[in-house]
């Protein structure tokens, strides 16, 4: 306890040393109370590393006394994630701490009253974000600002004459001289999703990696995923006799999470109207896939072991339309929230959190199949690609890689869906934000 008492008697007037004190106390208490925790659980260990990094290493690479404020972030979860990343990268360019922005819990956006602002840290872990993105971007709280009287407003231009170049030179101007002296710069104008993009895809990927759901939401994801794996377990137990041989010769009937396929099905009427227009405009027929085509392509995924559970991530509007569960071939066991019995979990939450849970369920799926013209699907493919890269996968498009993704709107081999990875060398997120059929594999 010597370290502890040293901290107790030391001066405690700065936030810094308070944080240090708190951290050291927590570490010592944890070590005393749970002497074995470092040994048996890798997750605990990595949490510890995450917590320690920012507090002991105060050099964030980003100034902590200059701040950026951005307009409320709105629309769908995917739009909000992109907008948040864009706001973070703007703050990085200005070498400023981004004051934690407001997200929107609801999808309504025509009437301001219905926007339901929700703080970033109600969805994602604030401290973990800073720990993981340490040195790259930094989030701050409004209480960090010392003088709120002197805020410089920076008006984002709009319209056709507001080009990417003009936008960039405005940013550069605000990063130097007397404009940069202001403690707070507030950007006014449209929501960040609509700002010009100046950053490569890999920078976005880096920000998305730092977004970890709050513990409460992550627990709900665990419940949904274990429910999916549990129904898979029930089904495959019937075919287990055939596999007994295998399990005996390997390491016995050991616990192995049962794989599942997640399919992000976009077949609602309003999507169909939108995508038909898009197909006409882009002169293609590879955007709108109906249910029949999706089922057919998923069935033809090469090397997929059946029976397999297929989790259908669908818009709420379709939840009570049981026809999406029909027409699947033998060996493909479709489930949506209701049939899984998890709709109660979702119903507790507003739109944004429901969507965040579904997103994570798709992210963790052993196989993901989506529509390359959906931003939601595209972001999932991007994050899964990033996960593969982190695992040092060499041939991202090859057979037998972990976490493969597919686009059902584009035909691949043997009338299956096209394999899909995000090209991390692209110089902007443009393609992902608005859909594409160039999907790299
Ligand atoms: C931000 O400014 C600090 C201090 O001037 C500097 O050390 C750091 O490299 C800058 N970071 C970026 C990302 O430009
Ligand atoms: C905040 O800034 C304004 C304008 O520069 C100044 O007049 C005021 O004294 C400052 N307040 C504090 C508490 O520093
Ligand atoms: C589905 O739910 C919506 C709204 O909850 C309702 O208007 C519609 O009639 C329902 N359709 C079916 C087929 O149950
Ligand atoms: C259910 O979905 C099918 C196929 O998407 C559609 O034809 C049918 O009209 C829908 N039924 C209801 C009640 O919405
Ligand atoms: C990937 O490779 C790097 C560099 O060789 C290594 O440090 C890292 O541990 C590897 N990661 C995994 C998950 O194998
Ligand atoms: C990835 O993007 C880079 C930059 O736009 C391009 O040169 C390259 O050909 C792309 N790779 C694939 C596989 O599409």
């Amino acid at each position: 306890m010597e370290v502890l008492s040293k901290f107790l008697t030391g001066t405690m007037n700065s936030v810094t040393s308070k944080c240090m004190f708190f951290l050291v106390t927590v570490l010592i208490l944890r070590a005393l109370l749970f002497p074995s925790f470092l040994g048996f659980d890798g997750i605990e260990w990595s949490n510890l590393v995450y917590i320690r990094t920012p507090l002991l290493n105060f050099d964030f690479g980003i100034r902590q006394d200059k701040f950026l404020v951005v307009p409320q972030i709105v629309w769908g979860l995917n739009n909000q994630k992109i907008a948040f990343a864009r706001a973070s990268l703007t703050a990085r360019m200005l070498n400023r701490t981004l004051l934690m922005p407001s997200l929107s819990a609801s999808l309504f956006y025509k009437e301001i009253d219905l926007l339901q602002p929700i703080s970033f840290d109600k969805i994602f872990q604030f401290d973990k974000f800073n720990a993981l993105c340490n040195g790259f971007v930094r989030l701050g709280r409004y209480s960090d600002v010392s003088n709120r009287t002197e805020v410089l407003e920076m008006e984002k231009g709009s319209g056709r004459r507001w080009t990417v170049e003009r936008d960039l030179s405005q940013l550069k101007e605000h990063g130097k001289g007397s404009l940069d002296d202001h403690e707070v710069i507030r950007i006014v104008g449209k929501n960040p999703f609509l700002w010009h993009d100046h950053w490569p895809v890999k920078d976005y990927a880096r920000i998305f990696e730092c977004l970890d759901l709050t513990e409460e939401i992550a627990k709900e994801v665990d419940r949904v995923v274990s429910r999916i794996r549990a129904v898979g377990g029930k089904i495959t137990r019937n075919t287990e006799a055939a596999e007994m041989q295998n399990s005996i010769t390997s390491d016995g009937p050991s616990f192995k999470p049962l794989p599942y396929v997640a399919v992000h099905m976009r077949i609602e009427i309003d999507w169909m109207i939108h995508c038909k227009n898009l197909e006409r405009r882009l002169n293609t027929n590879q955007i709108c896939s109906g249910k029949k085509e999706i089922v057919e392509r998923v069935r033809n995924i090469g090397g997929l072991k059946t029976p397999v559970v297929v989790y259908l991530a669908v818009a709420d509007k379709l939840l009570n339309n049981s026809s999406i569960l029909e027409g699947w071939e033998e060996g493909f066991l479709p489930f949506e929230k209701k049939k899984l019995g998890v709709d109660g979990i979702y119903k507790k939450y507003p739109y944004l959190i429901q969507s965040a849970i579904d997103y994570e369920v798709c992210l963790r799926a052993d196989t993901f199949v989506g529509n390359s013209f959906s931003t939601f699907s595209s972001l999932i493919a991007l994050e899964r690609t990033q996960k593969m890269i982190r695992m040092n996968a060499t041939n991202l498009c090859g057979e037998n890689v972990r976490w493969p993704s597919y686009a059902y709107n584009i035909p691949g081999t043997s009338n299956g869906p096209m394999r899909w990875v995000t090209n991390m060398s692209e110089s902007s997120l443009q393609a992902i934000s608005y859909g594409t059929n160039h999907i790299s594999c």
Side-chain angles (χ1 to χ4, degrees):
M1 295 307 264
E2 215 177 274
V3 187
L4 194 63
S5 53
K6 214 179 255 171
F7 270 93
L8 275 170
T9 52
T11 47
M12 280 299 171
N13 45 7
S14 79
V15 178
T16 304
S17 49
K18 275 183 191 149
C19 289
M20 293 279 278
F21 169 69
F22 175 69
L23 172 79
V24 169
T25 311
V26 167
L27 289 184
I28 289 173
L29 286 178
R30 283 184 78 169
L32 290 176
L33 294 174
F34 308 106
S36 65
F37 85 99
L38 292 179
F40 76 82
D41 194 339
I43 292 163
E44 282 291 347
W45 173 236
S46 55
N47 278 344
L48 187 70
V49 173
Y50 292 146
I51 296 165
R52 198 178 55 186
T53 315
L55 292 175
L56 297 183
N57 172 6
F58 283 92
D59 180 18
F60 280 94
I62 299 291
R63 292 179 298 177
Q64 301 186 34
D65 55 349
K66 301 283 181 195
F67 304 95
L68 182 74
V69 181
V70 301
Q72 182 177 350
I73 284 170
V74 297
W75 301 344
L77 170 77
N78 37 281
N79 307 101
Q80 295 194 39
K81 285 183 87 153
I82 290 173
F84 171 79
R86 196 159 286 158
S88 301
L89 293 168
T90 302
R92 172 178 161 78
M93 186 167 231
L94 297 170
N95 198 344
R96 284 172 179 266
T97 293
L98 176 67
L99 287 178
M100 197 162 54
S102 265
L103 307 178
S104 304
S106 67
L107 195 49
F108 296 103
Y109 53 86
K110 298 236 161 77
E111 292 156 78
I112 289 294
D113 301 346
L114 295 177
L115 270 175
Q116 272 189 47
I118 184 169
S119 172
F120 172 90
D121 61 358
K122 292 279 183 300
I123 311 288
F124 301 108
Q125 296 183 44
F126 176 90
D127 290 323
K128 193 147 177 200
F129 180 86
N130 276 338
L132 293 173
C133 263
N134 180 23
F136 189 61
V137 297
R138 186 171 184 275
L139 268 184
R141 297 184 189 274
Y142 280 79
S143 55
D144 299 340
V145 179
S146 65
N147 188 344
R148 296 179 201 201
T149 56
E150 223 208 336
V151 175
L152 175 67
E153 290 208 340
M154 172 182 157
E155 182 110 36
K156 274 258 179 205
S158 62
R160 230 162 19 99
R161 292 179 57 205
W162 190 259
T163 57
V164 182
E165 292 73 28
R166 279 185 72 173
D167 191 77
L168 190 62
S169 67
Q170 183 193 40
L171 281 177
K172 283 185 177 151
E173 236 164 66
H174 282 74
K176 58 187 186 209
S178 60
L179 294 178
D180 183 53
D181 290 340
H182 291 81
E183 184 178 5
V184 179
I185 292 182
R186 177 165 62 229
I187 299 186
V188 290
K190 290 182 295 194
N191 108 70
F193 183 76
L194 296 173
W195 295 355
H196 281 299
D197 186 10
H198 306 295
W199 301 277
V201 167
K202 66 173 176 33
D203 283 5
Y204 284 92
R206 176 124 191 238
I207 306 261
F208 296 141
E209 274 188 308
C210 305
L211 292 173
D212 260 12
L213 294 171
T214 60
E215 266 172 42
E216 184 196 349
I217 303 176
K219 260 192 205 121
E220 304 290 25
V221 174
D222 289 341
R223 285 173 65 193
V224 175
V225 169
S226 41
R227 184 81 196 111
I228 296 172
R229 297 207 193 274
V231 298
K234 256 187 219 142
I235 288 145
T236 46
R237 216 162 292 140
N238 299 334
T239 55
E240 212 152 68
E243 308 212 353
M244 262 323 220
Q245 223 104 19
N246 293 344
S247 47
I248 289 166
T249 48
S250 59
D251 19 329
S254 60
F255 176 74
K256 201 165 120 233
L258 285 149
Y260 66 98
V261 178
V263 181
H264 177 224
M265 272 178 118
R266 294 232 56 185
I267 51 172
E268 322 85 270
I269 304 280
D270 44 357
W271 162 261
M272 280 301 180
I273 293 169
H274 164 75
C275 77
K276 288 286 179 204
N277 287 333
L278 209 55
E279 282 192 343
R280 249 193 310 277
R281 195 148 52 82
L282 301 178
N283 193 23
T284 171
N285 60 2
Q286 295 186 355
I287 303 178
C288 312
S289 290
K291 197 195 86 177
K292 226 176 131 197
E293 186 169 78
I294 297 172
V295 167
E296 172 78 2
R297 297 232 161 109
V298 170
R299 182 173 65 114
N300 290 325
I301 291 177
L304 196 62
K305 236 180 118 198
T306 56
V308 68
V309 170
V310 181
Y311 174 71
L312 303 174
V314 291
D316 279 352
K317 281 175 249 185
L318 286 172
L319 258 186
N320 58 357
N321 185 336
S322 57
S323 82
I324 59 163
L325 296 171
E326 292 157 9
W328 290 84
E329 302 273 329
E330 178 102 25
F332 292 85
L333 305 140
F335 285 86
E336 34 69 285
K337 299 173 183 66
K338 217 173 206 165
K339 190 173 165 200
L340 272 178
V342 296
D343 49 334
I345 296 178
Y346 285 83
K347 283 201 184 111
K348 287 192 290 188
Y349 295 106
Y351 154 78
L352 186 67
I353 296 178
Q354 293 187 14
S355 191
I357 296 173
D358 241 16
Y359 185 93
E360 194 73 17
V361 171
C362 292
L363 204 56
R364 289 199 203 165
D366 303 272
T367 303
F368 172 71
V369 195
N371 186 310
S372 69
F373 276 83
S374 151
T375 319
F376 186 89
S377 291
S378 299
L379 280 192
I380 291 168
L382 181 148
E383 288 199 49
R384 290 170 68 92
T385 305
Q386 184 76 349
K387 267 193 348 182
M388 290 157 94
I389 292 170
R390 288 282 179 239
M391 291 298 288
N392 296 338
T394 44
N395 181 7
L396 299 182
C397 294
E399 306 273 309
N400 300 324
V401 293
R402 219 176 145 194
W403 295 306
S405 304
Y406 296 84
Y408 55 63
N409 57 309
I410 305 175
T413 49
S414 323
N415 200 25
M418 183 73 111
R419 269 292 292 282
W420 184 3
V421 297
T422 302
N423 184 348
M424 293 289 175
S425 315
E426 292 284 11
S427 59
S428 90
L429 202 67
Q430 181 77 19
I432 286 174
S433 318
Y434 298 105
T436 181
N437 46 15
H438 298 291
I439 55 173
S440 296
C441 280

